[in-house]
Amino acid sequence: QVQLQESGPGLVKPSETLSLTCTVSGGSVSSVGYYWSWIRQPPGKGLEWIGYISYSGNTNYNPSLESRVTISVDASTNQFSLKLNSVTAADTAVYYCARRAGLLSPFDYWGQGTLVTVSS
Amino acid sequence: SYELTQPPSVSVSPGQTASITCSADKLDNKYVCWYHQKPGQSPVLILYQDNKRPSGIPERFSGSKSGNTAILTISGTQAMDEADYYCQAWDRRTAFFGSGTKVTVL
């Protein structure tokens, strides 16, 4: 059974960089055909896809966030990470990591989510 | 940006059928997934490729698509089905989610 767990600071100051890590267990981030995504949900609002990194290290980002986002992977620790630069209060959200088993496949496994608040 | 339009809310009596629509341009040539999310929990995949159920999802959840509208149907709705429901599709390698529909079981 695949499990994903987000970790990182719950509070980030405006203009700084939000950094989160997703630890994967029960599967490998290097397994062929799998894609690892970040998705966020502002309080009381809907879901927004941030981007993904593939099993081979290829990335693709939501055009609305592309200039501020970097997703990377560390196969040695079986983790993938999110960095979002120049944050504002609008970036306050629950951040989820999720897995897809194919390029156009659904998000079949999700982490429990972690709330990140942007505030001074 | 690609927009998936859902009704904000749907109310249903226990045992009755609830239908949630998801409309978007050119949806007829894209696969649609559906998720439900209960308060304080992560989204859960309930349908993929328009109408396929993952293992463990009850048969009362079904999906269909006609033209540019996908429909999630919950037959014999139970109190435990009260949740927010989101449709999702891919457009040009970007994932888009609908705005969500709150299903209330009265």
Side-chain angles (χ1 to χ4, degrees):
Chain A
Q1 177 82 353
V2 175
Q3 292 186 320
L4 297 89
Q5 177 69 58
E6 304 88 352
S7 59
L11 181 65
V12 181
K13 290 182 169 54
S15 80
E16 296 189 345
T17 297
L18 179 159
S19 296
L20 295 174
T21 296
C22 182
T23 300
V24 178
S25 57
S28 169
V29 293
S30 301
S31 293
V32 174
Y34 289 97
Y35 296 77
W36 309 93
S37 282
W38 288 96
I39 295 160
R40 69 181 183 178
Q41 184 173 36
K45 297 188 178 180
L47 299 163
E48 180 182 34
W49 175 75
I50 299 170
Y52 71 69
I53 188 163
S54 75
Y55 60 97
S56 59
N58 293 325
T59 55
N60 188 39
Y61 303 129
N62 189 322
S64 68
L65 298 169
E66 188 168 16
S67 63
R68 299 194 290 131
V69 173
T70 302
I71 297 176
S72 59
V73 68
D74 185 342
S76 67
T77 58
N78 216 31
Q79 297 174 326
F80 63 105
S81 299
L82 168 70
K83 290 189 186 301
L84 181 65
N85 301 326
S86 305
V87 298
T88 69
D91 296 309
T92 294
V94 174
Y95 285 76
Y96 297 99
C97 55
R99 188 196 83 162
R100 285 186 298 125
L103 188 58
L104 297 181
S105 294
F107 301 102
D108 56 357
Y109 287 96
W110 296 65
Q112 66 183 32
T114 187
L115 174 63
V116 179
T117 302
V118 179
S119 175
S120 54
Chain B
S1 184
Y2 188 70
E3 288 193 16
L4 295 157
T5 301
Q6 296 182 236
S9 62
V10 167
S11 297
V12 60
S13 300
Q16 297 304 302
T17 296
S19 296
I20 304 167
T21 57
C22 173
S23 299
D25 188 38
K26 299 180 182 177
L27 196 59
D28 54 344
N29 62 9
K30 303 179 193 304
Y31 278 136
V32 176
C33 312
W34 290 91
Y35 305 84
H36 71 188
Q37 183 181 33
K38 297 183 180 179
Q41 297 184 17
S42 305
V44 173
L45 176 68
I46 56 173
L47 291 174
Y48 66 100
Q49 290 182 10
D50 298 339
N51 56 19
K52 294 180 171 56
R53 280 187 311 276
S55 173
I57 299 302
E59 290 184 6
R60 65 180 181 273
F61 292 96
S62 63
S64 63
K65 196 165 63 180
S66 177
N68 290 330
T69 298
I71 302 172
L72 166 67
T73 301
I74 311 173
S75 303
T77 307
Q78 300 182 9
M80 68 171 65
D81 299 327
E82 190 162 280
D84 293 325
Y85 289 77
Y86 295 91
C87 59
Q88 181 253 311
W90 289 89
D91 182 67
R92 302 181 187 182
R93 300 196 307 151
T94 298
F96 290 94
F97 290 91
S99 50
T101 298
K102 182 175 184 60
V103 170
T104 301
V105 183
L106 299 172

